[in-house]
Coordinates of all heavy atoms in Angstrom, one line a residue:
P63 N 8.7 75.5 29.6 CA 8.0 75.5 30.9 C 8.1 76.7 31.7 O 7.2 77.1 32.4 CB 8.6 74.2 31.6 CG 9.1 73.4 30.5 CD 9.6 74.3 29.4
C104 N 6.1 73.6 3.5 CA 5.2 73.6 4.7 C 5.0 72.2 5.2 O 4.0 72.0 6.0 CB 3.9 74.3 4.4 SG 4.1 76.1 4.3
Y166 N -1.0 67.4 18.8 CA -1.5 66.3 19.6 C -0.6 65.8 20.6 O -1.0 65.4 21.8 CB -2.0 65.1 18.7 CG -3.2 65.5 17.9 CD1 -3.7 64.6 16.9 CD2 -3.9 66.7 18.0 CE1 -4.9 64.8 16.2 CE2 -5.1 67.0 17.3 CZ -5.5 66.0 16.4 OH -6.7 66.3 15.6
Q170 N -1.3 66.0 24.8 CA -1.1 64.9 25.7 C -0.1 65.1 26.8 O -0.2 64.7 28.0 CB -0.9 63.6 24.9 CG -2.1 63.2 24.1 CD -1.8 62.0 23.1 OE1 -1.8 60.9 23.5 NE2 -1.4 62.4 21.9
S179 N -10.6 58.7 18.0 CA -10.4 59.3 16.7 C -11.2 58.6 15.7 O -11.3 57.4 15.7 CB -8.9 59.2 16.3 OG -8.7 60.0 15.1
M200 N -15.8 67.6 33.5 CA -14.8 67.3 32.4 C -14.9 68.3 31.3 O -16.0 68.9 31.1 CB -15.2 65.9 31.8 CG -15.0 64.7 32.8 SD -13.3 64.2 33.0 CE -13.5 62.8 33.9
N276 N -9.9 92.1 19.0 CA -10.3 92.3 17.7 C -9.8 93.6 17.0 O -9.4 93.6 15.9 CB -11.9 92.3 17.6 CG -12.4 90.9 17.6 OD1 -12.2 90.1 16.7 ND2 -13.1 90.6 18.7

Side-chain angles (χ1 to χ4, degrees):
C104 286
Y166 287 176
Q170 291 172 87
S179 186
M200 293 283 187
N276 281 298

